[in-house]
């Protein structure tokens, strides 16, 4: 259950943001203009499942690279949690901290759950011009994998804007 | 939305069980994943409990960021199979039964168990001779919606149920089979 803000639809401008990944570093959409960006919102670091979503995306990152796509993970965890999580799982793509004001970016993307104060598991593909090309809201407990992202990247390469499924 | 297998099973897959079995289980696995190790005897049991009805195809899905030797283990199994296709499954079973030995000395240990020429396998692994096969398996898994290991497909449809023997057998029994 999200807080009522709608997820931006395909064809709409992706809300801009810049969030911390390190104490002295912020990362935002503007850093990747000219490339497709995959935003992966997720509820929390330290999911106990072997091969969880964020670890899977690290393993799939060579495939994303074939599309020149940048991948950003976003949760409300603080940067130190992200650092430890990334280190433990050898994740080298940026994990962004939507920590203060808490969940602000997640709200703008319509995926913040005020009930438990986390971002819902959701995916957005933003094209190289900053327009939403595809989005997907996953049930909380279900790891959406990467097949939807790759299908959306294929569609983007073929010049079509795909509809939210 | 139910994830479906994008790469159909062919003779190039590693297959266990009767070729004509009406139900094919495809497993995407990682030799260093503890859940896959737990699933291996379970799947053997499923084959044993439903003789004639089910066969297993195994595809590689190593997660190198979590399991640093999983890809080498997959390549080693492929190298063993290249020399003698019959030895794939003994290699596979040994790897899952001896995960604690999967490390830098994996190849000599595996080959000592199998009675296979370790040098040839080591050369193939070091040269990455089977890297492409493993990557191809991995890519087909990603496209098919593999979201962790092990991920199973029953006649092409991802199985999201429990890894309890009774549940898995019930799922195998429930697969619609055309006459």
């Amino acid at each position: 259950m999200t807080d009522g803000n709608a997820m931006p639809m395909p064809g709409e401008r992706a809300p801009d943001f810049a969030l911390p990944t390190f104490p002295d570093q912020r990362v935002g959409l503007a850093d990747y203009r000219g490339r497709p960006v995959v935003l992966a919102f997720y509820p929390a670091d330290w999911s106990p499942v072997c091969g969880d979503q964020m670890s899977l995306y690290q393993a799939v990152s060579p495939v994303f690279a074939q599309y020149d796509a940048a991948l950003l993970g976003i949760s409300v965890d603080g940067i130190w949690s992200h650092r430890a999580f990334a280190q433990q799982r050898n994740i080298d793509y940026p994990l962004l901290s939507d920590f203060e004001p808490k969940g602000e970016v997640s709200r703008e993307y319509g995926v913040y759950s005020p009930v438990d104060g986390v971002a819902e598991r959701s995916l957005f593909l933003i094209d190289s011009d900053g327009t939403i090309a595809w989005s997907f809201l996953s049930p909380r407990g279900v790891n959406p994998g990467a097949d939807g992202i790759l299908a959306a990247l294929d569609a983007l390469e073929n010049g079509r804007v795909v509809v939210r499924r | 939305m139910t994830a479906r297998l994008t790469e159909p099973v062919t003779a190039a897959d590693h297959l266990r069980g009767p070729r004509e079995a009406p139900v094919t289980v495809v497993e995407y696995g990682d030799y260093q994943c503890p859940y896959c190790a737990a699933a291996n005897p379970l799947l053997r049991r499923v084959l044993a409990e439903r003789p004639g009805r089910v066969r297993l195809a195994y595809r590689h899905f190593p997660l190198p960021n979590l399991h640093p030797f999983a890809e080498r283990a997959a390549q080693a199994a492929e190298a063993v199979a290249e020399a003698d296709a019959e030895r794939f499954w003994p290699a596979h079973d040994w790897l899952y039964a001896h995960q604690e030995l999967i490390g830098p000395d994996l190849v000599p240990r595996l080959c000592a168990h199998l009675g296979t020429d370790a040098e040839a396998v080591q050369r193939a692994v070091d040269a990455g001779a089977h890297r492409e096969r493993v990557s191809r398996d991995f890519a087909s898994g990603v496209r098919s919606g593999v979201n962790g290991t092990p991920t199973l497909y029953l006649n092409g449809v991802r199985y999201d149920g429990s890894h309890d023997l009774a549940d898995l057998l019930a799922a195998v029994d429930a697969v619609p089979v055309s006459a």
Side-chain angles (χ1 to χ4, degrees):
Chain A
M1 184 64 74
T2 58
D3 67 356
N5 282 1
M7 286 168 74
M9 297 289 287
E12 290 179 15
R13 186 120 202 104
D16 211 353
F17 60 84
L19 287 173
T21 52
F22 283 97
D24 54 354
Q25 190 186 5
R26 283 177 171 262
V27 164
L29 281 186
D31 300 317
Y32 298 94
R33 202 64 87 215
R35 296 173 65 187
V37 176
V38 177
L39 293 186
F41 289 90
Y42 63 104
D45 292 340
W46 307 109
S47 152
V49 183
C50 189
D52 65 82
Q53 186 187 4
M54 294 298 125
S55 300
L56 173 72
Y57 290 174
Q58 178 64 41
V60 178
S61 58
V63 186
F64 294 142
Q66 289 168 10
Y67 296 86
D68 194 33
L71 170 64
L72 305 175
I74 304 182
S75 78
V76 298
D77 295 287
I79 50 171
W80 300 111
S81 175
H82 276 345
R83 292 314 310 146
F85 178 65
Q87 200 163 18
Q88 199 256 348
R89 303 193 181 206
N90 290 306
I91 289 170
D92 64 16
Y93 59 86
L95 297 179
L96 278 55
S97 188
D98 196 11
F99 182 73
E100 180 60 34
K102 189 181 176 194
E104 186 179 47
V105 173
S106 309
R107 286 174 213 269
E108 285 190 47
Y109 278 82
V111 295
Y112 186 74
S113 165
V115 178
D116 34 17
V118 298
E120 294 289 354
R121 217 175 273 290
S122 51
L123 300 166
F124 292 86
L125 174 63
I126 298 165
D127 72 14
S128 51
D129 299 324
T131 302
I132 305 275
W134 173 80
S135 63
F136 180 68
L137 178 65
S138 186
R140 176 77 63 87
V142 177
N143 174 347
D147 51 322
I149 300 171
L150 296 183
L153 282 165
D154 284 337
L156 194 60
E157 284 211 330
N158 294 331
R160 289 181 286 126
V161 171
V162 275
V163 191
R164 190 194 308 199
R165 59 175 187 174
Chain B
M1 191 174 131
T2 313
R4 285 175 182 278
L5 197 66
T6 57
E7 283 293 319
V9 173
T10 69
D13 277 296
H14 299 294
L15 294 164
R16 167 179 255 177
R19 299 288 134 135
E20 337 61 54
V23 178
T24 301
V25 177
V26 173
E27 176 189 13
Y28 282 90
D30 169 322
Y31 286 124
Q32 283 194 291
C33 162
Y35 303 95
C36 298
N40 195 46
L42 174 78
L43 290 167
R44 296 187 70 173
R45 185 83 191 276
V46 168
L47 264 66
E49 296 270 343
R50 294 293 183 272
R53 178 164 173 85
V54 56
R55 65 177 183 162
L56 174 67
Y58 183 81
R59 292 177 178 173
H60 303 291
F61 201 85
L63 293 172
N65 46 310
L66 295 182
H67 303 134
F69 293 98
E71 191 177 354
R72 284 178 74 82
Q75 290 187 41
E78 289 300 326
V80 166
E82 188 186 36
D84 179 356
E86 299 284 311
R87 294 213 163 154
F88 175 79
W89 291 105
H92 171 95
D93 290 337
W94 186 88
L95 288 164
Y96 276 135
H98 298 84
Q99 282 188 322
E100 73 285 0
L101 298 179
I102 298 180
D105 299 330
L106 157 73
V107 169
R109 285 172 164 155
L110 171 65
C111 292
H113 164 74
L114 296 171
T116 303
D117 176 11
E119 267 182 44
V121 172
Q122 187 73 60
R123 264 200 309 278
V125 171
D126 290 344
H130 301 281
R131 187 176 291 141
E132 198 188 317
R133 160 77 187 244
V134 175
S135 309
R136 211 165 52 232
D137 278 2
F138 182 86
S140 78
V142 173
R143 297 266 175 196
S144 303
V146 170
N147 54 8
T149 52
T151 291
L152 306 178
Y153 295 80
L154 301 186
N155 277 10
V157 179
R158 193 174 69 196
Y159 171 73
D160 292 331
S162 85
H163 287 190
D164 178 82
L165 178 66
D167 287 346
L168 200 46
L169 286 174
V172 163
D173 292 342
V175 172
V177 172
S178 47

